[in-house]
Amino acid sequence: MGEPLTTTPLGEVGLALPVRTLRVEVIDGPDRGAAHVSAGDTLTVGTADGNDLVLADDTVSRFHLELARAAAGVRVADCGSTNGTFANGIGVAVATVPAGTVLQLGKTRLRIDDGDKRMIELHAGDALAGLRGRSPAMRRVMTRVERAAASDVSVLVVGESGTGKELVARGLHVLGRRAGGPFVAVDCGALSPGLVASELFGHERGAFTGADRRHVGAFERAHGGTLFLDEIGELPTALQASLLGALERRTIRRVGGTEDIPIDVRVASATHRDLRAAVNSGAFRLDLYYRLAIVTLRIPPLRERAEDLELLVGHFLREAGYAGALEEVFPPSTLRALAGHHWPGNVRELRNLVEATLAMGEPPAIEADVAGVADPIERVLARGYREARQELLQEFEARYLAALLERCEGNISRAAREAGMDRSHLAELLQRHKLR
């Protein structure tokens, strides 16, 4: 992922990113000899259909683990499996390991290897239906949103709080054939369990205490358009069967009603939780997961796309009515400091910071108000050693190299001399951090 963008004849998309794929092979266990090469830079393993490598080992969970390319190797993330994931005898929740590592999953041992290089399509621009980003990560998202919008399949949007999941759902709506219809959003996490059924399906007068009139539910209001179910992971277990039935039959019945009402909606849902882990634990129905996650769109957190900060800051300044130069409010030194922040609130947090900066008429106090923790090591002490070390190294390199380049006015030979580094090694690091 540290390789540069290259132009390639890919129709209207026009840009592509070379990525190294992943290959896994079962070297011991009930599925010995089974292997899979990823289509991109992620790969999932489990016993449920929908995984890239589907195993028959009954000691492996439905959604057991996800592998993804990382700067220093392969990121292994256990999806809340029953029997765990082990590397060299050590239990792994999230860790970065080198290619060639053997993992133990129940009775299964599999080896992670490098695959071939493939080109991943990127959106040619830095904006799409309200989404914005110059980073390869966001351009990949925009390409997938554009593709998914062309059909009516259900889409599950996954990402941390504040990453813009509803914006993605609205993008699917306005780019699709239902753009002229309604877009109705329901926050499943904000409703009391007793009101979710009424909000989704509606209710008849007298259906329960306080129901003094008929209420038309979200499914009916979204007829002909898109229904967005935010925080679907919070949906009470008792209602999951009702939602599944409505999606399968394409009809709903109001609470307290007797009439089946046809529905015609496209469903997009979102969650900050890992629904695969909820499926493993029995908290979320597997059949409903399949129905909602025909396509899954993962939105990267802001800390993984720091190169989008300047674009987003400029956009939020314009939205707030500021017409001056960006550097007058957010000089380069401030933007560099922002790039080193962890951004737990993601894009929403950045928007709030921009608005607060304009309101106060001065740049934000990054160390105290934004960074939050004076000691950058403090925030990673609870993580695994390798993951913590890698995050701190990445942050140090990115900030050091950006400051070095600015000090040397972009002259790489001079920067190499000042840093006491080999020029080719410096060039490699700059390319890895997308500074050249």
Side-chain angles (χ1 to χ4, degrees):
M1 293 297 294
E3 296 168 83
L5 301 182
T6 58
T7 303
T8 183
L10 291 171
E12 293 183 0
V13 176
L15 290 177
L17 181 73
V19 299
R20 176 73 69 181
T21 62
L22 295 164
R23 183 182 187 277
V24 292
E25 180 180 0
V26 178
I27 59 176
D28 195 16
D31 302 277
R32 184 173 181 176
H36 183 84
V37 178
S38 64
D41 54 2
T42 62
L43 188 150
T44 58
V45 180
T47 59
D49 292 338
N51 286 289
D52 296 311
L53 178 63
V54 179
L55 302 177
D57 183 354
D58 60 7
T59 62
V60 171
S61 293
R62 289 167 166 173
F63 299 99
H64 201 103
L65 65 83
E66 180 178 78
L67 305 174
R69 278 286 171 196
V74 179
R75 183 178 182 271
V76 179
D78 184 273
C79 300
S81 67
T82 301
N83 292 321
T85 300
F86 296 84
N88 300 320
I90 300 173
V92 170
V94 179
T96 300
V97 302
T101 296
V102 174
L103 301 177
Q104 182 85 40
L105 294 66
K107 300 174 185 174
T108 295
R109 295 174 70 237
L110 57 84
R111 185 178 61 242
I112 308 168
D113 292 310
D114 289 326
D116 55 358
K117 282 188 178 181
R118 297 186 184 177
M119 303 301 287
I120 302 296
E121 293 183 25
L122 302 177
H123 185 69
D126 58 15
L128 175 73
L131 299 170
R132 284 173 173 77
R134 293 173 181 150
S135 64
M138 274 308 294
R139 288 186 174 190
R140 288 176 70 176
V141 169
M142 287 189 270
T143 294
R144 300 201 70 214
V145 168
E146 208 164 24
R147 286 181 179 174
S151 73
D152 256 2
V153 299
S154 297
V155 176
L156 176 65
V157 187
V158 179
E160 296 177 8
S161 178
T163 49
K165 297 186 289 295
E166 181 169 346
L167 206 57
V168 170
R170 288 185 180 275
L172 292 169
H173 177 71
V174 301
L175 295 171
R177 69 176 183 85
R178 296 175 177 269
F183 179 90
V184 177
V186 175
D187 187 345
C188 299
L191 296 171
S192 66
L195 292 178
V196 177
S198 174
E199 179 56 29
L200 289 178
F201 309 125
H203 64 252
E204 298 290 354
R205 181 181 178 183
F208 49 82
T209 302
D212 57 353
R213 67 189 67 184
R214 171 184 285 177
H215 172 66
V216 176
F219 269 101
E220 286 185 80
R221 301 199 304 273
H223 188 78
T226 300
L227 175 61
F228 174 54
L229 302 176
D230 198 8
E231 295 305 341
I232 189 67
E234 309 303 318
L235 189 69
T237 306
L239 282 175
Q240 292 176 22
S242 299
L243 175 58
L244 177 64
L247 296 177
E248 289 182 338
R249 294 189 299 269
R250 311 299 293 180
T251 62
I252 57 102
R253 182 176 294 183
R254 299 188 190 110
V255 178
T258 58
E259 177 188 1
D260 287 332
I261 303 169
I263 54 170
D264 174 25
V265 299
R266 194 249 178 95
V267 175
S269 51
T271 181
H272 72 282
R273 296 184 181 276
D274 187 346
L275 284 193
R276 299 167 302 181
V279 168
N280 289 338
S281 69
F284 202 85
R285 294 179 62 114
L286 177 63
D287 45 7
L288 179 57
Y289 176 83
Y290 282 145
R291 177 65 65 173
L292 295 173
I294 295 176
V295 171
T296 299
L297 298 176
R298 301 188 183 281
I299 314 304
L302 186 56
R303 62 181 172 277
E304 293 180 5
R305 51 188 188 101
E307 57 266 58
D308 291 337
L309 278 168
E310 183 176 351
L311 176 71
L312 291 170
V313 167
H315 169 67
F316 293 144
L317 284 172
R318 290 190 299 273
E319 270 197 338
Y322 177 75
L326 182 147
E327 56 268 21
E328 292 180 3
V329 183
F330 286 86
S333 59
T334 300
L335 290 175
R336 285 196 303 274
L338 294 179
H341 179 41
H342 193 65
W343 295 109
N346 289 290
V347 179
R348 183 185 297 122
E349 181 184 352
L350 178 63
R351 179 195 292 271
N352 291 342
L353 180 136
V354 170
E355 292 176 354
T357 300
L358 283 178
M360 298 304 295
E362 58 185 16
I366 305 302
E367 293 78 12
D369 298 335
V370 179
V373 179
D375 180 5
I377 297 176
E378 184 70 24
R379 71 168 187 265
V380 300
L381 291 180
R383 304 186 188 185
Y385 169 76
R386 289 185 177 180
E387 183 188 12
R389 180 180 181 276
Q390 182 59 33
E391 179 173 325
L392 289 174
L393 179 60
Q394 287 287 97
E395 180 177 332
F396 162 73
E397 286 183 350
R399 297 178 67 177
Y400 176 84
L401 293 171
L404 178 66
L405 271 187
E406 183 179 5
R407 189 167 69 248
C408 297
E409 300 176 329
N411 187 311
I412 296 187
S413 296
R414 177 185 162 193
R417 288 194 302 271
E418 287 203 15
M421 299 172 65
D422 179 78
R423 190 182 188 281
S424 61
H425 180 53
L426 174 60
E428 179 184 346
L429 288 176
L430 293 173
Q431 187 180 70
R432 181 186 305 165
H433 290 278
K434 302 177 183 66
L435 294 172
R436 273 292 182 273

